[in-house]
Amino acid sequence: MTTFYDEIKVFGHELAETVKKLIHEGNVRRIIIKNEQGHTFVEIPVTVAAVGAVFAPIVAAVGALAAMAANFTIVIERVPDPAAK
């Protein structure tokens, strides 16, 4: 199975909402949040985050990160969507 990566840049106030949307996508395997200097703040395995009980604390932690810096890069590890074939 092929894995590919996307990178998006977001402002701090957009971070939590963007991560929520990514978690709900079906082909995202992992989310990595980095600061402006490229240092990794957190890596989220989305297969774990998709479980309802784990989802809320992860989004709360991501929201707290947003106060630490103005700009973030989100690296998204994806697997191909099997329905797209």
Side-chain angles (χ1 to χ4, degrees), residues 5-24:
Y5 296 86
D6 288 330
E7 279 192 17
I8 56 174
K9 296 194 183 291
V10 297
F11 293 111
H13 66 276
E14 303 168 325
L15 184 62
E17 191 62 35
T18 303
V19 169
K20 273 192 229 179
K21 288 178 185 176
L22 290 169
I23 288 173
H24 287 297

Side-chain angles (χ1 to χ4, degrees), residues 23-54:
I23 288 173
H24 287 297
E25 289 184 14
N27 65 341
V28 175
R29 179 171 281 167
R30 185 169 52 137
I31 298 170
I32 303 165
I33 300 172
K34 298 181 177 187
N35 67 4
E36 295 175 77
Q37 292 78 31
H39 296 106
T40 299
F41 272 121
V42 68
E43 291 189 31
I44 305 166
V46 175
T47 53
V48 172
V51 178
V54 178

Side-chain angles (χ1 to χ4, degrees), residues 40-85:
T40 299
F41 272 121
V42 68
E43 291 189 31
I44 305 166
V46 175
T47 53
V48 172
V51 178
V54 178
F55 178 69
I58 288 174
V59 173
V62 168
L65 282 176
M68 298 176 73
N71 298 308
F72 292 91
T73 299
I74 302 175
V75 180
I76 307 135
E77 179 181 326
R78 297 181 186 268
V79 293
D81 186 358
K85 289 185 180 181

